[in-house]
Amino acid sequence: MLRLYFHLKKRERLKRYFTLSLCTSPLIGSFFFSHTEASSPFQCLFLATTGIPCPGCGLTRSFMAVAQNNFIEALNYHLLGPFLFFALLLTCIHLILELLLRRSLVTFYVKLLRNRTAQMSFLGMLLSYHCFRLYLLFLSGELASSFENSPLGNFI
């Protein structure tokens, strides 16, 4: 259910424009890089330094796979990638509606995003998934070899 609330003041509109720009940049980037010859200019600094993937490793490739309508590949890159992609898309639509109507809109997902328990649950899910991925890399031996070949592994 959609509810209209207070009129947006200039400061609140500016915050929404800023948030909209933050939310649209990964979406636009994933469409651009997945439909051109260019490759993503981003590299995980944590992975490059330690040889160990961070919890967000694979999200860029997952977003690019979603942009190409390849959802199975997107799930293989990062299980939460397609869900985060559509959450950002929903956020963009929501912010555009708020800016057009110049009113704050409160829906069930806005309340859910502000709920501390939901935030901690998502964080726990992300960290659990990351630990599972690290465990699989450990079992395959890839984790040890990538750490040994990393700058940190060479330094130690």
Side-chain angles (χ1 to χ4, degrees):
M1 180 172 191
L2 183 68
R3 291 192 179 124
L4 293 172
Y5 281 94
F6 62 91
H7 184 74
L8 290 176
K9 296 179 180 153
K10 184 177 180 179
R11 182 179 171 103
E12 284 128 6
R13 284 195 318 267
L14 289 175
K15 285 170 49 177
R16 280 164 176 76
Y17 278 120
F18 179 73
T19 306
L20 182 62
S21 67
L22 287 178
C23 290
T24 55
S25 59
L27 299 176
I28 292 170
S30 64
F31 278 101
F32 173 75
F33 289 117
S34 66
H35 290 92
T36 63
E37 297 283 329
S39 61
S40 174
F42 304 109
Q43 182 182 11
C44 178
L45 295 176
F46 189 78
L47 177 64
T49 306
T50 65
I52 301 169
C54 75
C57 278
L59 280 174
T60 301
R61 289 172 287 158
S62 180
F63 274 33
M64 290 170 62
V66 170
Q68 293 176 338
N69 293 325
N70 193 343
F71 297 104
I72 301 300
E73 185 179 339
L75 289 169
N76 287 333
Y77 284 128
H78 198 290
L79 186 65
L80 301 176
F83 302 105
L84 186 58
F85 183 91
F86 288 113
L88 285 175
L89 188 61
L90 179 64
T91 302
C92 290
I93 292 168
H94 180 93
L95 289 170
I96 289 169
L97 283 173
E98 282 191 340
L99 289 167
L100 289 174
L101 297 173
R102 293 183 175 246
R103 298 220 179 263
S104 176
L105 304 174
V106 178
T107 60
F108 74 94
Y109 54 84
V110 171
K111 291 179 184 178
L112 184 65
L113 289 174
R114 291 180 181 159
N115 185 323
R116 187 60 125 196
T117 304
Q119 293 170 355
M120 291 298 119
S121 297
F122 178 77
L123 181 62
M125 191 169 51
L126 177 65
L127 292 177
S128 298
Y129 174 65
H130 180 60
C131 289
F132 179 70
R133 289 173 70 188
L134 289 178
Y135 178 70
L136 292 178
L137 288 172
F138 173 76
L139 288 179
S140 69
E142 288 181 53
L143 191 62
S145 66
S146 63
F147 177 73
E148 290 171 359
N149 295 327
S150 71
L152 182 63
N154 289 328
F155 179 73
I156 292 176

